[in-house]
Amino acid sequence: MGEGLRGELREAVAAAAQADDGTPERLQARLDAACRLIVALVDDLADAEADAVIAETLPLVQHDAQLEIELRRRLARELVTYERYRAVVQLSAALEAAQALGLAVLEAELAEELRAAMRDEGGTSTLRTTSSALAEASRAANPELAARMQLSLSASETGAIAEQHARTSVELARASGEVALLHEATARLAELLAERDELAEARAVLVALPALAHARESRALLDEIRRRLDEPVVDPPEVAAISVPLDPQLRAFATRPHNLVQSVVDGGLLGADKIREWSSGEITKPADLESQLVFGPVRSYWCACGRYRGRDYAGIVCKRCGVEVIDAAARRTRTGHITLREPVVHPWYAPVAALLLDLPHAELTAIPPFELQERLLAFDAARLEHLVDELKYAIVTAPKARIADAAGRRLALVEAFRTAAARTFTQPASIVLALVPVLPPNVDLPIDRDKVRDAYAQILEAPARSQAAAVAGLFGALAAH
Ligand SMILES: [Zn+2]
């Protein structure tokens, strides 16, 4: 933002002030102009002037608490992306005003916005100081909110400071009477205690918790601490992974087509959108090819670090190891993806591109993948529809059977792409790969899984110029069965 635009915004504020005749519309126009200037100033890091404009603007709404809340809330929303602590300051003042007015619904909304604004773990120290002051201020008025703030402060800190916030949060949660919150805060405290091997105290605070039906996190933590204390904890019986059928389109992708046109219909050519939609995570290094974070746990309903054990914890994502507590069958169906450094022509479908573009195969290989992608992108729905008519006409008017045959083959392919677009979102441009789907580590296909994994590793490790060869190696490994 330039000084010129700032000057214009300052003039707009002055003009709106001049025009203010005391009507609500004129006041609103003044507030609008001031907000625009404040946002521009904060964006420009002109903090002192921004503060001055805020200080000049607030008296305009002091006669009406609702207006003041509205203004502060608006400023918070507009400033939160630039400077989170400014949003926190405005929201806390708005919250205080709402509390004074006894507007319960508005108060709850503002508290939620405030929590969201503070959810930035590891935020700036200014934000932390502001939040601490705020949490302190709302102690008596709203212990639940104060407990949540202390909890998020604890999450953004480590060591003794984190522990202090957790302790305060536990105390406030108890005062609020919110049992679920008390469990959450206590689990945080116990986790921090366990981190510094204060296992007996960690155990004691968890055991003292009131009963709660779905207190899964605190229960798992208590079991973990008991295991570390060598107390007997019975593990749930191992769950046999369920059997799940493989997605037919993924099967088609991994199977070398006998009939390319049929394979296009079956969706064996995966578009980038589909690959991304399916993917549970990007694979960037060979070690990720077995990742439990991406593909799910090796053992059904056990996270990787072993905190969550058993079906009772289904669906939880472990905060420590990041693994979702689900059936190990996921490792047979979940895919990942690799982003290629440069686009690569799918080696199995190069003849399809040649036929569609009506080019000899040899000529095709001379086209750089980027350019080929551009050319294939031109084959959108309208172009394909048009091509159907064109080819039908070419067939009936062909002077020789050979020419009619060639047009017929092209027509079958165009029809296949039209069917595929409707069914599987496959486009002709999908022939040029920007992403490669990574098959599930335990995929149920008659392939040599070690060989395929090695081929993926080669793609990850290959320099950009030899990535195409590595991609060809992958499809070679898939075809070798
Ligand atoms: Zn875990």
Side-chain angles (χ1 to χ4, degrees):
M1 163 118 27
E3 183 51 44
L5 183 51
R6 261 201 257 167
E8 275 171 37
L9 291 170
R10 272 187 214 113
E11 276 165 28
V13 170
Q18 280 267 290
D20 189 359
D21 56 5
T23 58
E25 295 74 32
R26 297 289 187 180
L27 175 59
Q28 199 52 54
R30 259 182 104 171
L31 297 178
D32 289 346
C35 282
R36 274 194 293 274
L37 177 59
I38 293 164
V39 171
L41 290 168
V42 171
D43 185 24
D44 265 2
L45 305 176
D47 279 311
E49 193 186 343
D51 286 335
V53 180
I54 292 174
E56 279 162 23
T57 310
L58 281 170
L60 300 175
V61 292
Q62 244 160 19
H63 63 286
D64 185 336
Q66 295 260 23
L67 262 183
E68 182 193 334
I69 292 170
E70 216 172 276
L71 175 67
R72 288 190 185 277
R73 199 179 190 182
R74 174 174 170 188
L75 280 173
R77 280 189 189 150
E78 296 196 13
L79 296 176
V80 74
T81 49
Y82 300 104
E83 274 194 90
R84 210 170 267 267
Y85 94 91
R86 282 189 180 276
V88 169
V89 168
Q90 293 305 331
L91 283 170
S92 54
L95 182 64
E96 228 167 84
Q99 276 167 350
L101 287 177
L103 300 168
V105 176
L106 188 59
E107 191 187 324
E109 282 175 19
L110 288 165
E112 194 46 50
E113 282 172 35
L114 186 54
R115 252 176 251 153
M118 288 177 45
R119 209 168 285 148
D120 177 31
E121 289 186 17
T124 63
S125 59
T126 322
L127 171 58
R128 268 176 273 166
T129 316
T130 315
S131 316
S132 296
L134 190 62
E136 205 51 47
S138 49
R139 244 168 195 271
N142 192 340
E144 185 197 338
L145 176 66
R148 287 191 192 281
M149 285 176 182
Q150 291 288 351
L151 193 53
S152 53
L153 284 165
S154 173
S156 66
E157 298 281 356
T158 52
I161 299 171
E163 194 177 315
Q164 192 47 52
H165 284 302
R167 280 188 199 279
T168 313
S169 179
V170 167
E171 196 184 296
L172 289 162
R174 193 174 292 120
S176 77
E178 290 289 323
V179 179
L181 182 59
L182 178 58
H183 271 258
E184 213 182 314
T186 307
R188 173 69 183 152
L189 175 60
E191 191 161 35
L192 290 161
L193 288 167
E195 255 173 35
R196 56 179 185 94
D197 287 326
E198 289 294 339
L199 298 176
E201 193 189 346
R203 183 185 182 286
V205 292
L206 288 167
V207 167
L209 278 170
L212 178 69
H214 301 290
R216 301 193 295 176
E217 313 234 341
S218 47
R219 183 152 38 96
L221 191 58
L222 179 57
D223 280 352
E224 184 180 273
I225 289 162
R226 282 185 168 147
R227 277 191 292 269
R228 283 179 63 187
L229 285 165
D230 282 329
E231 289 179 24
V233 179
V234 182
D235 281 333
E238 196 160 334
V239 186
I242 52 166
S243 139
V244 272
L246 191 65
D247 186 291
Q249 212 186 330
L250 192 59
R251 184 181 293 276
F253 159 78
T255 311
R256 183 174 190 131
H258 296 297
N259 178 331
L260 286 170
V261 172
Q262 185 57 44
S263 187
V264 168
V265 174
D266 293 342
L269 196 53
L270 293 176
D273 289 344
K274 189 81 194 178
I275 296 169
R276 221 173 269 122
E277 180 196 318
W278 269 352
S279 173
S280 296
E282 181 164 8
I283 306 295
T284 56
K285 52 186 189 300
D288 294 345
L289 291 165
E290 298 284 332
S291 169
Q292 300 195 55
L293 280 170
V294 176
F295 299 106
V298 169
R299 193 166 169 180
S300 277
Y301 300 101
W302 279 56
C303 71
C305 72
R307 171 174 294 177
Y308 295 106
R309 304 178 177 197
R311 243 201 196 123
D312 286 356
Y313 301 113
I316 286 183
V317 176
C318 178
K319 266 189 220 140
R320 184 165 49 194
C321 66
V323 171
E324 195 178 349
V325 183
I326 50 170
D327 201 291
R331 296 181 74 77
R332 291 198 238 137
T333 54
R334 274 195 183 181
T335 59
H337 74 276
I338 295 172
T339 307
L340 296 174
R341 267 167 258 155
E342 275 168 23
V344 172
V345 179
H346 193 313
W348 291 347
Y349 291 89
V352 170
L355 182 56
L356 193 65
L357 293 165
D358 204 12
L359 287 175
H361 189 267
E363 213 169 292
L364 183 89
T365 48
I367 304 173
F370 272 120
E371 199 189 317
L372 186 62
Q373 197 174 32
E374 283 299 309
R375 288 208 205 173
L376 290 168
L377 275 171
F379 287 84
D380 58 6
R383 174 86 186 270
L384 291 176
E385 197 183 326
H386 185 74
L387 207 50
V388 168
D389 296 337
E390 216 173 84
L391 290 167
K392 279 183 179 163
Y393 181 76
I395 291 167
V396 292
T397 57
K400 284 179 187 155
R402 190 173 51 81
I403 296 172
D405 279 355
R409 276 199 301 280
R410 246 184 119 204
L411 178 61
L413 181 63
V414 172
E415 294 282 23
F417 270 116
R418 294 184 73 202
T419 312
R423 276 201 212 158
T424 60
F425 303 104
T426 301
Q427 310 283 336
S430 311
I431 295 171
V432 182
L433 298 164
L435 306 173
V436 177
V438 175
L439 290 172
N442 296 349
V443 68
D444 230 341
L445 282 172
I447 53 170
D448 184 335
R449 291 203 294 236
D450 290 341
K451 220 180 211 168
V452 170
R453 195 192 42 232
D454 289 348
Y456 278 122
Q458 296 260 312
I459 297 176
L460 290 165
E461 286 174 332
R465 67 192 143 73
S466 48
Q467 228 175 16
V471 170
L474 169 70
F475 287 103
L478 287 172
H481 60 79

